[in-house]
């Protein structure tokens, strides 16, 4: 009898440890229409960002963002946090706020790249417009859920590019960082999909 009780206790302890170690599922979900619109907007932004990277690579031979990372630190190109969107700490309110703040940050970074080259101006404008639409979509969803703050976040301090090379290298880094940001955002938003 004691052996059975001990086995049951060990089994319950093991089950509790497995449940505690499992990734958190969000306690809230988002409307499917919002998630589909976000997916469409992400694809547009990713496509625009890819075009920007490819043109900078083809025209100016700036093909490897990894090689420019040190320059990115020197230029002060910030990256938005997505800690509330990670599988370990997933929470709807924090994640939507970080996604919105990140998109606002990328709007500012793209504005700082203005004048990168005349050929890339239309691509940069389209990317800014698509990011602006995406940020607005998230903000409207936050308002519908009662999660929006009274004042939307500001862009913060943006880097100053003093040469054409810095602006182009910054373009490669911003486009590369944006792609990584969107991949994490996509994974997080999928977790909030209604079952």
């Amino acid at each position: 009898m004691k052996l059975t009780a001990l086995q049951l206790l060990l089994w319950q302890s093991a089950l509790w440890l497995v449940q505690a170690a499992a990734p958190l599922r969000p306690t809230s979900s988002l409307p499917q229409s919002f998630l589909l619109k976000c997916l469409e907007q992400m694809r547009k932004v990713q496509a625009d960002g890819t075009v920007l990277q490819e043109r900078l690579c083809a025209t100016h031979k700036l093909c490897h963002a990894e090689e420019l990372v040190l320059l990115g630190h020197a230029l002060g190109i910030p990256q938005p946090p997505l800690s509330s969107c990670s599988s370990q700490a997933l929470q709807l309110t924090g994640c939507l706020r970080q996604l919105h703040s990140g998109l606002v940050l990328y709007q500012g970074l793209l504005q700082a790249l203005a004048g990168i080259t005349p050929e890339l101006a239309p691509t940069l404008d389209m990317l800014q417009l698509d990011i602006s639409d995406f940020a607005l979509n998230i903000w409207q969803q936050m308002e519908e859920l009662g999660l929006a703050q009274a004042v939307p976040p500001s862009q913060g301090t943006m880097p100053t590019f003093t040469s054409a090379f810095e602006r182009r290298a910054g373009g490669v880094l911003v486009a590369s960082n944006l792609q990584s940001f969107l991949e994490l955002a996509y994974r997080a938003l999928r977790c909030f999909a209604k079952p």
Side-chain angles (χ1 to χ4, degrees):
M1 183 73 164
K2 287 183 181 181
L3 183 59
T4 304
L6 182 59
Q7 286 175 331
L8 183 59
L9 182 62
L10 288 172
W11 181 79
Q12 285 179 326
S13 297
L15 183 61
W16 180 81
L17 286 172
V18 168
Q19 288 175 339
L24 297 175
R25 293 295 301 160
T27 56
S28 302
S29 58
L30 294 167
Q32 192 69 25
S33 59
F34 167 73
L35 294 169
L36 289 173
K37 188 172 182 178
C38 284
L39 180 59
E40 178 186 331
Q41 290 172 318
M42 276 186 209
R43 285 183 183 144
K44 287 174 72 176
V45 171
Q46 283 179 319
D48 295 341
T50 299
V51 168
L52 179 65
Q53 283 180 298
E54 287 173 353
R55 289 191 177 167
L56 284 167
C57 178
T59 307
H60 303 287
K61 305 301 180 222
L62 295 166
C63 303
H64 303 287
E66 304 85 27
E67 295 173 0
L68 302 170
V69 169
L70 288 177
L71 181 61
H73 290 298
L75 293 173
I77 297 176
Q79 291 185 341
L82 281 178
S83 56
S84 293
C85 296
S86 71
S87 60
Q88 292 82 18
L90 189 61
Q91 61 166 219
L92 181 65
T93 303
C95 185
L96 286 177
R97 285 184 180 154
Q98 285 184 334
L99 288 175
H100 183 264
S101 295
L103 291 168
V104 170
L105 173 69
Y106 279 110
Q107 284 178 295
L109 288 169
L110 292 170
Q111 286 173 357
L113 292 171
I116 190 167
T117 64
E119 314 85 59
L120 288 176
T123 303
L124 204 57
D125 290 344
M126 184 58 69
L127 187 54
Q128 283 180 297
L129 181 61
D130 288 341
I131 288 175
S132 178
D133 288 346
F134 191 13
L136 179 63
N137 184 33
I138 290 180
W139 184 258
Q140 288 172 339
Q141 184 62 43
M142 289 169 59
E143 284 181 333
E144 285 179 28
L145 296 171
L147 304 175
Q149 301 163 338
V151 178
S154 64
Q155 295 171 344
T157 306
M158 290 296 116
T160 305
F161 302 107
T162 58
S163 70
F165 173 76
E166 285 183 359
R167 189 169 279 111
R168 291 174 193 140
V172 171
L173 289 166
V174 168
S176 176
N177 293 346
L178 177 60
Q179 299 290 2
S180 299
F181 173 83
L182 291 172
E183 288 170 17
L184 291 171
Y186 175 74
R187 280 188 233 136
L189 288 173
R190 279 187 53 203
C191 289
F192 291 115
K194 287 186 177 176

